[in-house]
Amino acid sequence: MSNQELTDFLILRSLDEPITEDELEAAGEQSGRALEELRDEGFGIRWVESEVMTNEDGHVTGTFCHYEADDEETIREHADRAGLPATRIDRRGEPLQGE
């Protein structure tokens, strides 16, 4: 993994068509393989967590993912290799304090 400090990114992955939980699981496996490949090649990238978005039928319509990475290009390269959309990529700000 690279020596520089990683930046927190939030990635919205909107799907054109809803998918099933099984398809989501397969996408997660592809994502994991792409992460390993990138790290083996010296890229700094780490998955932190993902929130799953669903429609009223319970089908998956997208995810909202938190990653740490060297830069936005590394996030885009991961999405390309994993075959995942990266609809929007933003740097993560300071979390709000809730109740």
Side-chain angles (χ1 to χ4, degrees), residues 79-93:
D80 287 347
R81 291 189 192 196
L84 300 171
T87 311
R88 181 171 172 172
I89 301 169
D90 288 292
R91 283 174 163 69
R92 181 175 178 257

Side-chain angles (χ1 to χ4, degrees), residues 39-55:
R39 286 194 291 254
D40 287 349
E41 293 171 26
F43 289 91
I45 187 167
R46 186 175 84 85
W47 172 77
V48 179
E49 65 180 341
S50 294
E51 296 288 339
V52 177
M53 299 180 291
T54 63
N55 62 18

Side-chain angles (χ1 to χ4, degrees), residues 42-71:
F43 289 91
I45 187 167
R46 186 175 84 85
W47 172 77
V48 179
E49 65 180 341
S50 294
E51 296 288 339
V52 177
M53 299 180 291
T54 63
N55 62 18
E56 59 191 21
D57 297 326
H59 294 108
V60 177
T61 57
T63 59
F64 201 71
C65 302
H66 177 187
Y67 280 75
E68 294 174 343
D70 288 333
D71 51 32

Side-chain angles (χ1 to χ4, degrees), residues 27-40:
E29 289 172 8
Q30 287 174 295
S31 174
R33 284 192 295 275
L35 285 171
E36 283 182 33
E37 270 180 26
L38 286 165
R39 286 194 291 254
D40 287 349

